[in-house]
Structure formats: C-alpha cells, structure tokens
Amino acid sequence: MELTIEKALQLGVTAHKEGRFQEAERLYRAILQTKPEHPDANYNLGLLAINVNRPDAALPLLKNALHLNPKMEKFWISYIDALIKDKQYSNAKKAIKNARKHGVNKKLLNSLKEQIPLKTENHKILDLSPPQELVDSLLVHYQQGQL
C-alpha cells in the first residue's frame, strides 16, 4: 500500500499529538522530500523544532509555511512566537505589523507584542529618573527652605 501525502500528514499529526516526535519528524520530512512546498508539513516540523527549544531551526520552516499560506492565522502566531523565542525582536515587531495587515486576531498579536522586552539592543528606553546629584541638590535646597 502506497502512503499518500495526506495520509502521511495525518499519521504525522497523530504521532506528534501522542508525543512520538521522532516518528512525526520522519513523516513530515518524507512529505517535504516529495513536496517541499507543503505548508502543513513545514508548519508541523517547525512546531516540532519549537518543542525541543530550537526556534532557530523552526524559523525557516514556519516562514516557508507562512509564505505558502499567509492567510493561516496559526502560521503567523507560531512564526512570531519563534522570532520572540529566538530574540529577534525587531523582526517580530515587523511580523506583527504584517500579520495585522492579513487580519490576524488583534488580541493574539497584542499578547505576543507584550512578550517583546521594552528595551532591546537597538532601541534604548529613556531613563526618566533624574541623576542622583540633582536629587541630592534639590533635597539640600528643600531642607534649607530654598524652594
């Protein structure tokens, strides 16, 4: 009996759900060898990479799935989540903007955006605290009644 791509995908998803990750990976990779543009196989293999804390390996797969089917909300969410886990914050912000343009749920995007640190390497937050010297000087003036 020859295994069709759809049957292999079903078996892969079942193995994935049951925690048989090696079998699921083998099935997803077999699908991608036959049809590299299969969005679900790319997506599910990307999820497997995330499960083993390898967002760097997941990103090209998730990006490919997203490129092949940009209307799938779960593809956007997983891709942005992988960018955040890989600390690619500026790319995650760009992806969130693109996802909004594709109609992805705003609440989901906002919850992802909240996971991005406010201070990143390229964007420094202004420190609104005054320097300690200024605080000390103001305190001396206040104590001397020099308002």
Side-chain angles (χ1 to χ4, degrees):
M1 177 178 111
E2 188 174 311
L3 193 61
T4 66
I5 288 177
E6 290 311 308
K7 183 64 178 171
L9 183 64
Q10 288 174 353
L11 291 171
V13 169
T14 300
H16 194 157
K17 287 180 181 176
E18 293 176 355
R20 295 179 283 128
F21 300 134
Q22 288 180 332
E23 182 180 345
E25 179 181 0
R26 183 183 55 78
L27 288 161
Y28 297 147
R29 288 196 187 281
I31 294 167
L32 292 175
Q33 281 186 335
T34 305
K35 189 174 179 188
E37 298 85 29
H38 196 286
D40 292 319
N42 275 285
Y43 173 74
N44 289 333
L45 192 54
L47 289 183
L48 277 177
I50 289 174
N51 285 348
V52 294
N53 201 26
R54 291 285 319 274
D56 57 317
L59 283 168
L61 295 161
L62 295 172
K63 187 174 185 177
N64 196 27
L66 189 56
H67 173 73
L68 295 166
N69 193 352
K71 295 184 185 211
M72 288 295 290
E73 185 172 77
K74 67 181 182 178
F75 291 4
W76 282 104
I77 299 303
S78 296
Y79 177 64
I80 295 166
D81 183 52
L83 286 168
I84 293 168
K85 287 179 178 169
D86 201 41
K87 296 183 169 96
Q88 294 187 33
Y89 303 124
S90 61
N91 288 335
K93 289 176 185 178
K94 290 175 192 173
I96 288 170
K97 285 181 185 178
N98 287 333
R100 279 199 170 102
K101 292 176 186 174
H102 283 86
V104 175
N105 182 302
K106 289 180 183 179
K107 285 184 181 180
L108 291 173
L109 293 175
N110 287 339
S111 70
L112 286 169
K113 192 173 184 178
E114 288 173 2
Q115 295 176 34
I116 298 173
L118 292 176
K119 185 175 180 181
T120 61
E121 291 177 26
N122 298 334
H123 301 92
K124 297 194 183 211
I125 295 175
L126 292 175
D127 185 6
L128 300 177
S129 325
Q132 188 60 42
E133 300 146 0
L134 182 57
V135 172
D136 293 341
S137 173
L138 288 171
L139 187 58
V140 168
H141 287 296
Y142 175 77
Q143 289 171 340
Q144 293 176 353
Q146 299 173 347
L147 303 175

